[in-house]
Amino acid sequence: MNPRDVRIRAVRWHALPVKTRLPLKFGHETVTSVACARVCLTVSRADGSRAEGWGETPLSVQWVWPSVVPYEVRFQAMQDFCDLLTEAYAQFPAQGHPMEIGYDFIEAVLPKLLAAFNATLPKGVVMPTLAALVCASPFDLALHD
């Protein structure tokens, strides 16, 4: 065990609304605003020291989840998935370098979490892996901060 290894102790996220300077076109949809997912993640070392890291990324629904499903349904699903990720990261027992923890989470937890989440969505609504990865990215960024 490396004395610089960390373990996740607390996680929180919130959405920040951002209005774009110019409209952006993704397929048949035009983006004029976006919500950025901002994550704060607290880690600790074996010696008891703690640190907070921050990560942020836009939840670009139209880009990561092109679909005929209404925007609000997809946007709400991505926010709900961020809620699930908050719980899952907070409960993730891995300890090590942030690269190891992040890799292990993306490989072992994210696919199962996405499959279980998709099973709860209305018929015909399926969040793609890309959307799940974008939701997870600010958590990973905060872990590395």
Side-chain angles (χ1 to χ4, degrees), residues 13-135:
W13 92 277
H14 63 276
L16 294 171
V18 177
K19 191 168 181 91
T20 59
R21 284 185 302 127
L22 298 169
L24 301 169
K25 185 95 166 138
F26 290 104
H28 68 278
E29 295 180 285
T30 301
V31 178
T32 57
S33 65
V34 67
C36 287
R38 180 175 283 177
V39 173
C40 180
L41 197 143
T42 304
V43 297
S44 69
R45 290 186 186 162
D47 68 5
S49 62
R50 289 181 174 248
E52 280 187 348
W54 291 85
E56 183 178 311
T57 197
L59 297 178
S60 302
V61 178
Q62 297 90 335
W63 178 68
V64 300
W65 191 350
S67 175
V68 296
V69 174
Y71 168 84
E72 284 302 323
V73 171
R74 293 176 287 150
F75 178 60
Q76 186 61 54
M78 289 182 72
Q79 290 188 91
D80 292 345
F81 196 68
C82 286
D83 290 340
L84 285 178
L85 287 168
T86 300
E87 295 172 27
Y89 270 96
Q91 295 172 7
F92 194 51
Q95 183 172 321
H97 187 280
M99 289 285 276
E100 296 167 320
I101 296 170
Y103 177 83
D104 290 346
F105 187 91
I106 296 297
E107 290 294 315
V109 178
L110 190 66
K112 293 174 189 167
L113 195 63
L114 178 59
F117 180 73
N118 277 335
T120 69
L121 295 176
K123 186 177 180 178
V125 180
V126 179
M127 179 186 285
T129 302
L130 178 59
L133 287 167
V134 166
C135 289

